[in-house]
Amino acid sequence: MEHDVARSSLLRRPMLALACTLVCQLVAPTIAMAGGPDPRQYMHGIGAVPATTVNTFNVFFSASGLPPRGADRSGSWPHDVYVAQWHADTGTLDAPHLFIQKPEAQEPVTVARNRAGHVMVSFEDGWNAPENVTQRYGIYDTALRPIKPYPQQVESGGHSGHITAVGDRFVVFYSDGWVNGGGVDNLGSGNGVYVKVYDGHGKLLRSVDVAHDRREWWPLVAGGATHALLVWQEFVPGQTEANLKIAIFDPVSGRITGEQVLHKHLQYYTYSVAWLPAVERFLLVGVAKGNGFADLIDSAGNVRASIPCMPATVREAGIAVNQRTAYTPAADGRLLQLQAGPDALTLSGTLMNTDGKPVHWRPVGSVGLLRTSGALDWLSLTEKGLEPLRFDPEKAQAANAADQCR
């Protein structure tokens, strides 16, 4: 149900979260690294939007310095937000520069561009946050000049936000509150997911409860022509796997329809979503029951086609779209190639990095960008810095029986 713009959360996390110290693991679980440090302390969160120059994109990412330093001596995560221009004609990535710099961490960054060319940048912020963290945002023009610049507040205590644009409106989907215990490493869960809608100048238009005061969190959103697809995970008592839920959101009316559990036995946090304009469908990929899956969903929330079993995908990895073809990383070091129609979805092939070696994908963020030549550049966050990768769709290998299921 809708709520007042000034709603405060009923339950806050008792300890400093993602943006601040090593107890940041309360917001999202430690990534299993065979006893190693959580890789998110180095870099976490990446996104890209078109820039003013044709065939040029602004790539935003959060990092603890360049090269990334990781947590400081006190255990705090010192992430700032950086931006670099990537050129589709040449595949060149310009030197990154600081975009937002404050004490504590501003991560993971998420970015969207609306129909008018305005850019929203949002992230969970540990700086000057009376309730440990807060979801904040800023709005800029296409040249990244301020319209309503950071620090603007989505929700004090809000976290794990993800944003998109539908027409001229921005949709911010975020979590709020925390419940200790259960889930991955017994670290607990978020306690609700919520939506706020803003116009292109940062004015709050609407605030909607999606799952209020319930153990549901890690929200992702993709913007379509008129609606947005909301995706999030639901805590299941006594299990170390989640339910994956979806719903359709109309940013004009604020109406939510088609809420459903789409997958059970979800691998926590391992899902991603994108809009495919050429077929007017949403694409959802993830991992459940140990295998990858993909679903093609229309703007009414109906699943039009599915791949029930394919290679596992990668946590926080992006989906690159080229007309009816989509690409996303596979946990085994390849790139998956999916072919979509309005009512059809197939795993049509797999790609190797042009050096022929499997990629050691990191679970902290990556984004794929299409070059004018047809090649794919993939920018992957790692503990050592931003890793540029290149794939050639002309050399895709046909998917085999082992790729379809195991």
Side-chain angles (χ1 to χ4, degrees):
M1 60 181 291
E2 285 193 32
H3 57 80
D4 185 80
V5 167
R7 177 190 64 82
S8 356
S9 134
L10 298 176
L11 181 61
R12 303 294 187 193
R13 286 159 292 168
M15 302 175 68
L16 207 55
L18 233 171
C20 298
T21 71
L22 289 182
V23 297
C24 62
Q25 296 154 359
L26 284 174
V27 165
T30 302
I31 311 294
M33 290 293 294
D38 188 330
R40 294 170 302 165
Q41 67 178 281
Y42 298 94
M43 305 183 84
H44 188 211
I46 186 170
V49 291
T52 51
T53 305
V54 175
N55 294 331
T56 300
F57 288 76
N58 286 315
V59 179
F60 293 83
F61 60 92
S62 296
S64 58
L66 290 179
R69 303 184 301 274
D72 63 21
R73 290 185 178 180
S74 71
S76 292
W77 290 12
H79 296 64
D80 296 309
V81 177
Y82 293 81
V83 65
Q85 287 205 332
W86 176 85
H87 304 273
D89 292 338
T90 62
T92 302
L93 182 70
D94 294 345
H97 65 269
L98 278 165
F99 188 71
I100 293 172
Q101 182 180 33
K102 289 291 184 183
E104 300 297 347
Q106 291 78 54
E107 57 84 34
V109 67
T110 173
V111 60
R113 182 178 185 265
N114 74 0
R115 183 167 51 196
H118 294 181
V119 175
M120 174 180 270
V121 180
S122 185
F123 43 80
E124 182 179 317
D125 196 356
W127 169 70
N128 194 25
E131 299 183 75
N132 299 333
V133 291
T134 183
Q135 190 74 33
R136 290 201 173 105
Y137 74 94
I139 293 183
Y140 308 84
D141 68 12
T142 311
L144 303 184
R145 294 175 298 226
I147 293 175
K148 192 171 185 178
Y150 168 87
Q152 309 297 324
Q153 182 168 282
V154 175
E155 187 76 41
S156 180
H159 60 88
S160 309
H162 193 232
I163 66 176
T164 192
V166 179
D168 289 330
R169 292 174 173 84
F170 291 110
V171 179
V172 182
F173 192 27
Y174 66 98
S175 190
D176 193 16
W178 196 258
V179 181
N180 291 320
V184 176
D185 294 331
N186 201 37
L187 292 172
S189 71
N191 198 43
V193 288
Y194 307 87
V195 167
K196 288 189 177 179
V197 180
Y198 297 84
D199 70 12
H201 291 84
K203 178 184 177 182
L204 179 60
L205 302 176
R206 193 172 294 280
S207 188
V208 182
D209 291 354
V210 179
H212 178 55
D213 201 21
R214 303 204 305 256
R215 299 189 72 171
E216 304 181 21
W217 79 113
W218 202 248
L220 296 183
V221 59
T226 58
H227 293 72
L229 178 67
L230 309 178
V231 185
W232 70 100
Q233 61 190 17
E234 177 185 49
F235 178 81
V236 180
Q239 294 187 15
T240 56
E241 298 170 315
N243 289 335
L244 184 65
K245 300 183 76 173
I246 69 166
I248 294 295
F249 177 66
D250 180 353
V252 176
S253 69
R255 187 182 178 199
I256 294 174
T257 56
E259 181 176 334
Q260 60 181 294
V261 173
L262 195 58
H263 290 277
K264 295 183 177 180
H265 303 289
L266 172 79
Q267 182 174 304
Y268 271 118
Y269 302 94
T270 310
Y271 49 98
S272 187
V273 64
W275 171 248
L276 278 57
V279 295
E280 297 187 327
R281 297 288 186 264
F282 296 100
L283 176 64
L284 171 65
V285 301
V287 177
K289 300 179 181 178
N291 296 296
F293 65 82
D295 297 303
L296 197 68
I297 302 168
D298 66 22
S299 294
N302 302 306
V303 177
R304 306 296 288 266
S306 294
I307 303 172
C309 195
M310 66 182 193
T313 57
V314 176
R315 173 175 169 162
E316 297 195 48
I319 299 173
V321 176
N322 181 16
Q323 298 298 316
R324 292 172 174 241
T325 307
Y327 302 89
T328 198
D332 62 13
R334 297 178 294 173
L335 201 65
L336 302 180
Q337 177 180 278
L338 305 174
Q339 195 73 23
D343 298 292
L345 184 64
T346 60
L347 177 62
S348 57
T350 63
L351 286 74
M352 292 293 291
N353 186 18
T354 52
D355 68 4
K357 299 177 182 178
V359 178
H360 184 43
W361 296 112
R362 314 304 298 122
V364 297
S366 69
V367 64
L369 299 165
L370 184 68
R371 293 184 59 181
T372 52
S373 66
L376 267 174
D377 282 9
W378 215 278
L379 303 177
S380 179
L381 302 183
T382 77
E383 293 88 334
K384 296 181 179 179
L386 193 63
E387 180 182 15
L389 303 162
R390 184 157 295 166
F391 299 85
D392 183 358
E394 295 294 325
K395 297 181 180 179
Q397 300 294 312
N400 56 41
D403 290 326
Q404 302 295 335
C405 203
R406 64 176 174 82

